[in-house]
């Protein structure tokens, strides 16, 4: 089954508190690295449970 990467991206951004909460985003081969304005707005459990997310590290 093909992965819907647009849906995955929307869900991840929503899980970290929305686009307005993202100060910076970079990536490497296996990770997205977010710098957030307010980490309390991120829902770690929600992000961890998004299909396609392999884990979350702070």
């Amino acid at each position: 089954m093909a992965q819907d990467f647009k849906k995955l991206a929307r869900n991840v951004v929503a899980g970290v508190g929305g686009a307005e909460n993202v100060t910076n985003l970079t990536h490497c081969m296996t990770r997205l690295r977010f710098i957030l304005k307010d980490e309390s707005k991120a829902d770690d459990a929600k992000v961890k449970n998004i299909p396609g997310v392999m884990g979350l590290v702070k």
Side-chain angles (χ1 to χ4, degrees):
M1 183 163 107
Q3 178 76 12
D4 184 347
F5 292 111
K6 287 183 181 183
K7 180 179 178 182
L8 175 61
R10 282 192 302 270
N11 289 337
V12 170
V13 170
V16 299
E20 63 279 352
N21 195 37
V22 178
T23 300
N24 192 12
L25 171 65
T26 57
H27 64 87
C28 63
M29 289 291 282
T30 59
R31 292 177 178 82
L32 295 174
R33 299 174 189 265
F34 288 86
I35 297 176
L36 303 177
K37 293 177 186 174
D38 183 354
E39 288 204 21
S40 70
K41 292 183 179 179
D43 185 342
D44 294 352
K46 180 179 178 179
V47 174
K48 286 179 185 179
N49 289 310
I50 296 170
V53 172
M54 315 258 318
L56 184 143
V57 177
K58 286 190 166 192

